[in-house]
Amino acid sequence: MASAQGAKIQRVGDSSTASQPIVLRKPYLLFLGDVSDPLTLKTAFGLRDWIPGDVVGQWRLTKTTLDLGLTDLDPEAAITAGAGSIVIGAAPSGGAIPSGWARALLRAVQAGLDVVSGLHASLDSVPGLAAAADRSGVRLHDVRKAPPGLPVGTGARRPGRRLLTVGTDCAIGKKYTALALARAMQAAGVDAEFRATGQTGILIAGTGIALDTVVADFMAGAAEAVSPAAHPEHWDVIEGQGSLFHPSYAGISLALLHGSQPDALVLCTDATRVEIDGCPGYPLPSLAEAMRRNLEAARLTNAAARFVGIAINTLPLPGEAAATLMRRLADEHGIPCVDPLRSDVQPIVDALECRPSNSR
Amino acid sequence: MASAQGAKIQRVGDSSTASQPIVLRKPYLLFLGDVSDPLTLKTAFGLRDWIPGDVVGQWRLTKTTLDLGLTDLDPEAAITAGAGSIVIGAAPSGGAIPSGWARALLRAVQAGLDVVSGLHASLDSVPGLAAAADRSGVRLHDVRKAPPGLPVGTGARRPGRRLLTVGTDCAIGKKYTALALARAMQAAGVDAEFRATGQTGILIAGTGIALDTVVADFMAGAAEAVSPAAHPEHWDVIEGQGSLFHPSYAGISLALLHGSQPDALVLCTDATRVEIDGCPGYPLPSLAEAMRRNLEAARLTNAAARFVGIAINTLPLPGEAAATLMRRLADEHGIPCVDPLRSDVQPIVDALECRPSNSR
């Protein structure tokens, strides 16, 4: 590792590029290809449900392609409807982009749409697509790829307020909770913004950095870039990644915790999960332990960090049992406990005691 | 982030490549170029001092190039002397590889030497070098580049014993201490090996993975690959990276801590440093706090982890004051405290209570 002094001027990739998160051109045309299986269309469903106002329609290549209930549009019609980008909303079986999809994407590029992909296969691997994009003056975005020019983290405090969702495990509601909180804060008149750190979050927000794709030396720097300096009363609501208790990904969680400098933390957990996802023998930590360890780590870069709520997935529990559990956890830890999928997150927003932006 | 289940089969780069650390062909010819400034030759000095038996000589391009006191050899003579690789032992000013160096490296490749570089500029950026290497059947190694095909960490326990050096800060003696411990253990007849996680360490060991260059998702997997399953009585002595208390690099330290599954930890610190390197306002943690937090984190993947020693840089202190300080720290923490630069590390080796391999 370079010393921090030397490393501060180090850059990934093209040093002339500033450390900008990806910025996507909305609204979107959702590309569903020839996919009929709903599980393979998870990304498209997510975008339809979270940002219906940013989706002009769906493009289905075949009659058997699943219908998401959106307007059917081809690229040319989507352009007329104001679309800026076509988003690949389906995962191809096998990983590589099928040739039928490649032809369709080429047509979208020629029509004037940016192409946005969260697939493992790079858009550059589609023959002729990059050249066609150059000719049409549109852009290809692989949201799984970290942007070039990310800096090393500095730990320097920056203005603005920040909330970060952290988890007892991976895949436990950190993105969903952050989205729900940002919505509720905005609805309450707070100057708040969702900040994406994973690919689906980036598609929803239209901007962000997929932290898991960043080179290790630049993780904290990427986390700092995701929620830049802002108005002292502005809130960034940052999507957490991984878990300090996950033996595969804890390093990412810690870098995000440090780079985010959160004022407020929300712990995401699951009422019935007992083991870390995919890691037999690794029990989920207790909530008290998870809060203590996250808080201790967060306080390296923000001494005022505190937990403001617990977001728990209670789905398998009957309504009454879920309510009892949430009341018990709220009492035990002295902060609100909600299930963002079943109830509203307002109690956590209230605990933040943030001022509406019109009261500034 | 992919769920752990999905991510386990995910690979960086070519999926047909196994997750092998870089392996370098020793002995080395040290390439000093036209450099006369000793600071710019830090890598060459390090190799001369740590592995004199693996260095056949130096190649100086000009009369003003600094003399390291090694035999002067050109590539052809180095081949005759048994050399396997030429190692760039100097850092060029400006970062790019100068054209005079490029011609010299080309000649080394044509003579049959692998080329090993720890520079930021990739060897592929030297015109014609990759093609010449192909023709000569030799390899180009950028030790700053992570190998392809690294897996996601699993957290699964593997046989063998492991010692990891951790630090209160970056650049505080973690590599030096690990090297000194591995030497002392080998001298005591213990089956022990130094495991490199940074570029200079890799040049010394001839193998390893530069952890700071690994994509975030694969950090813990890379740490697991660095010290693979081994004989139950074999010791890997692993070079630590960064510090849990460094706001730029703590994520790397945590991933290495988890992936290493250390049985034994040695805390490296500095007697006079008060602030984290390059991070004004970040005080060095107390030794007790540093041990508590590292131990807590280490116990996620190895419940038996314990501290076996403190390695402190006392260089600015007079000998008597240093000795008093080390005695006090040893008493306070109940483990040996040594200065690897001034005294020997044997007390820490003794604390390990490992058996010589001939007693198996």
Side-chain angles (χ1 to χ4, degrees):
Chain A
M1 185 176 315
S3 80
Q5 281 298 14
K8 260 178 198 158
I9 53 158
Q10 205 180 330
R11 294 285 184 279
V12 166
D14 179 1
S15 61
S16 69
T17 316
S19 55
Q20 295 297 329
I22 287 173
V23 178
L24 306 178
R25 207 149 57 93
K26 289 183 174 179
Y28 300 147
L29 171 65
L30 299 187
F31 178 70
L32 310 186
D34 49 7
V35 172
S36 54
D37 162 32
L39 273 182
T40 315
L41 288 165
K42 219 172 60 174
T43 300
F45 276 106
L47 295 177
R48 181 198 70 178
D49 295 345
W50 272 106
I51 47 166
D54 290 335
V55 173
V56 298
Q58 63 187 5
W59 187 23
R60 300 184 298 152
L61 291 185
T62 66
K63 288 201 170 148
T64 56
T65 302
L66 202 76
D67 183 354
L68 265 60
L70 299 165
T71 313
D72 281 302
L73 298 174
D74 61 19
E76 295 76 16
I79 286 277
T80 308
S85 307
I86 183 167
V87 175
I88 302 179
S93 61
I97 295 173
S99 60
W101 293 25
R103 279 193 301 276
L105 296 177
L106 213 55
R107 177 171 157 197
V109 157
Q110 284 156 353
L113 292 171
D114 288 356
V115 182
V116 182
S117 164
L119 305 180
H120 276 289
S122 160
L123 289 171
D124 283 338
S125 72
V126 177
L129 196 63
D134 271 351
R135 281 194 301 274
S136 298
V138 302
R139 304 188 65 174
L140 307 180
H141 294 286
D142 285 301
V143 296
R144 269 188 201 266
K145 236 191 243 173
L150 288 171
V152 164
T154 67
R157 291 281 290 146
R158 55 195 190 280
R161 307 196 73 184
R162 290 169 187 85
L163 182 151
L164 173 69
T165 54
V166 297
T168 51
D169 191 3
C170 286
I172 204 153
K174 293 182 293 290
K175 178 178 72 250
Y176 192 100
T177 302
L179 281 162
L181 284 168
R183 288 266 159 106
M185 290 165 79
Q186 287 160 354
V190 176
D191 174 17
E193 197 165 350
F194 168 74
R195 294 296 190 176
T197 60
Q199 55 168 336
T200 306
I202 293 172
L203 295 176
I204 291 171
T207 184
I209 299 174
L211 264 194
D212 57 355
T213 67
V214 173
V215 167
D217 243 0
F218 305 98
M219 287 187 304
E224 291 178 0
V226 159
S227 67
H231 186 282
E233 295 291 330
H234 169 86
W235 278 90
D236 273 343
V237 183
I238 306 162
E239 173 193 8
Q241 290 294 333
S243 163
L244 288 184
F245 300 88
H246 198 301
S248 316
Y249 302 121
I252 304 176
S253 310
L254 185 58
L256 179 55
L257 203 47
H258 286 166
S260 298
Q261 307 180 350
D263 304 283
L265 293 160
V266 171
L267 181 64
C268 301
T269 192
D270 185 292
T272 55
R273 201 182 297 182
V274 293
E275 252 183 8
I276 295 286
D277 184 36
C279 297
Y282 283 91
L284 235 62
S286 73
L287 301 197
E289 179 74 353
M291 285 194 252
R292 184 179 69 75
R293 296 276 286 275
N294 273 285
L295 211 49
E296 233 173 35
R299 286 184 171 160
L300 180 73
T301 58
N302 186 348
R306 65 190 176 106
F307 270 90
V308 295
I310 298 165
I312 187 165
N313 180 0
T314 63
L315 205 60
L317 301 184
E320 187 52 42
T324 305
L325 173 64
M326 290 194 281
R327 269 196 306 275
R328 183 172 66 73
L329 292 177
D331 285 349
E332 209 172 302
H333 300 286
I335 48 177
C337 179
V338 303
D339 182 339
L341 286 165
R342 294 175 92 160
S343 57
D344 92 56
V345 296
Q346 193 58 41
I348 297 181
V349 175
D350 294 341
L352 282 175
E353 298 179 346
C354 36
R355 281 183 288 169
S357 54
N358 58 14
S359 71
R360 266 182 205 164
Chain B
M1 187 176 316
S3 81
Q5 283 297 13
K8 259 178 202 161
I9 53 157
Q10 206 180 329
R11 292 288 186 277
V12 165
D14 178 2
S15 61
S16 68
T17 316
S19 55
Q20 293 299 329
I22 287 172
V23 179
L24 306 178
R25 205 150 57 94
K26 288 182 175 180
Y28 300 147
L29 171 64
L30 299 187
F31 177 70
L32 310 185
D34 48 8
V35 172
S36 54
D37 162 33
L39 274 180
T40 315
L41 288 166
K42 218 172 60 176
T43 300
F45 276 106
L47 296 176
R48 182 198 67 177
D49 294 345
W50 274 106
I51 48 167
D54 290 335
V55 173
V56 297
Q58 62 188 4
W59 187 24
R60 300 184 297 153
L61 292 185
T62 66
K63 289 202 169 145
T64 57
T65 303
L66 202 76
D67 183 354
L68 266 60
L70 299 165
T71 313
D72 281 302
L73 297 174
D74 61 19
E76 295 75 17
I79 287 276
T80 308
S85 307
I86 183 167
V87 175
I88 302 179
S93 60
I97 295 173
S99 60
W101 293 24
R103 278 193 301 277
L105 296 177
L106 213 56
R107 178 171 156 196
V109 157
Q110 284 156 351
L113 293 171
D114 289 356
V115 182
V116 182
S117 163
L119 305 179
H120 277 289
S122 161
L123 288 171
D124 284 338
S125 71
V126 176
L129 195 63
D134 272 352
R135 281 195 302 273
S136 297
V138 301
R139 305 189 64 174
L140 307 181
H141 293 286
D142 284 301
V143 296
R144 270 188 200 267
K145 238 191 241 173
L150 289 171
V152 165
T154 66
R157 290 281 290 148
R158 55 195 190 282
R161 308 196 72 185
R162 288 166 188 87
L163 181 151
L164 174 69
T165 54
V166 297
T168 51
D169 191 4
C170 287
I172 204 152
K174 294 182 293 289
K175 176 178 74 249
Y176 193 99
T177 302
L179 280 163
L181 285 168
R183 289 264 161 107
M185 291 165 77
Q186 287 160 355
V190 177
D191 174 17
E193 196 165 351
F194 168 73
R195 293 296 190 179
T197 61
Q199 54 168 338
T200 306
I202 294 171
L203 295 176
I204 292 171
T207 184
I209 298 174
L211 264 195
D212 56 355
T213 67
V214 172
V215 167
D217 244 359
F218 305 97
M219 288 187 303
E224 292 177 359
V226 159
S227 67
H231 186 283
E233 297 290 330
H234 169 87
W235 279 89
D236 273 343
V237 183
I238 305 163
E239 173 192 7
Q241 290 293 333
S243 164
L244 288 185
F245 300 88
H246 198 300
S248 317
Y249 303 121
I252 303 176
S253 309
L254 185 58
L256 179 55
L257 203 47
H258 286 166
S260 298
Q261 307 180 351
D263 304 282
L265 292 160
V266 171
L267 181 64
C268 301
T269 192
D270 185 293
T272 56
R273 201 182 296 183
V274 293
E275 253 182 9
I276 294 286
D277 185 35
C279 297
Y282 283 90
L284 234 65
S286 72
L287 300 196
E289 178 75 354
M291 284 194 251
R292 184 179 68 76
R293 296 276 286 278
N294 273 285
L295 211 49
E296 233 174 34
R299 285 182 173 160
L300 180 73
T301 58
N302 186 349
R306 65 188 176 107
F307 270 91
V308 295
I310 299 166
I312 187 165
N313 180 0
T314 62
L315 204 59
L317 301 185
E320 187 51 42
T324 306
L325 173 63
M326 290 193 282
R327 270 196 307 275
R328 183 172 65 73
L329 292 177
D331 285 349
E332 209 172 302
H333 300 286
I335 49 178
C337 178
V338 302
D339 181 339
L341 285 164
R342 295 175 93 160
S343 55
D344 95 57
V345 296
Q346 193 58 39
I348 298 181
V349 175
D350 294 341
L352 281 174
E353 297 178 347
C354 37
R355 279 183 291 168
S357 54
N358 58 13
S359 71
R360 268 182 204 162

